[in-house]
Amino acid sequence: MTTSTIRIDERTRVLVLTGAGISAESGIPTFRGADGLWENHPIEKVASMRGFVDDPILVWRFYSQRRADAKAVAPNAGHHALARLEERLGDRFLLATQNVDGLHTKAGNARVVEMHGTLWKTRCSRCDREPFDDEEVYLGDLPGCGACAKRGESALLRPHIVWFGERLDPRDLARIDAFVRASRGSRLVFLAVGTSGRVSPASELVVHARDAGAETWLVNLEPSDNQGAFEHVVHGASGAVLPSLFV
Ligand code: BJW
């Protein structure tokens, strides 16, 4: 627990970055927890195009299980604290999340950038049709792209997730950057929650925000890889720390 607080006034803008740790108290395992493995497969194998090409059934089984797990859980006190903060700040708030579980939206946050995609959409692995809403689980039969089939081509559908080695959507990065740039002349607070700071470009946001003059905070259970870049570090569980962090 912490006695630290972030003072919020009418000049304050807050950019939050969340990672798997904030959903841990809802019952969703983190990536680099006990062993960083899923059914003995390294995360890179089930979250990369190479893994999908090698074994699409395995990859769809992984994401199908993640869909089922995420559907069964509810947001926790950490998510709710961020929803209340957005209610207070309105457009002076932006939440960039690396999580794909949709729990921030479930908690009531609307100004959310899902940097690594979402479990709740599917897209074609080949054509550029728009990603579409999809809650299906695919446990054996692989889903094919109907749009490609109409052209006599064959292609698999894939989860709408940013895998290792894939570029993040430039529109998402631009939205975060625009929020930071619009903060000139205000007081900008950057808060990272529940992330190991190991995966770029999310791990570099703290430097970007700091260069723009932000006050930087980290709330994490354990030391993160990039915690030296933060001015304020609070070690604790987000569900315990966040509800009393903002005053
Ligand atoms: C609590 C808590 C509680 C627990 N309260 N705290 C070498 C080869 C290939 C690529 C690279 C390479 N070197 C660098 C790269 C780039 C790569 C990268 O960073 N790799 C590193 C691993 C080395 N990044 C990328 O590839 C990204 N793309 C990119 O850079 O594109 C550039 C490009 C340019 C031009 C052309 C092409 C490309 C894409 C990254 C995509 C990440 N994808 C994943 C999986 C998919 C999403 C999914 O399936 O969910 O996203 S990886 C995985 O890690 C997932 C997460 O979003 C992400 C971050 O993890 P996170 O959230 O930090 O979780 P954990 O588990 O690591 O940490 C949890 C923390 O919470 C812990 O610290 C706990 O202590 C804490 N905690 N309980 C508070 N209650």
Side-chain angles (χ1 to χ4, degrees), residues 169-190:
D169 188 330
R171 290 167 298 187
D172 287 343
L173 295 175
R175 197 170 157 205
I176 296 168
D177 188 49
F179 184 86
V180 170
R181 278 188 288 106
S183 304
R184 281 194 198 119
S186 320
R187 169 173 167 254
L188 175 62
V189 173
F190 175 76

Side-chain angles (χ1 to χ4, degrees), residues 18-23 31 66 79 96-104 113-118 193-194:
T18 60
I22 196 168
S23 293
F31 289 93
R66 304 261 310 276
H79 296 104
T97 185
Q98 299 168 85
N99 299 343
V100 298
D101 54 33
L103 287 180
H104 287 301
V113 178
E114 292 178 308
M115 303 175 72
H116 291 169
T118 169
V193 182

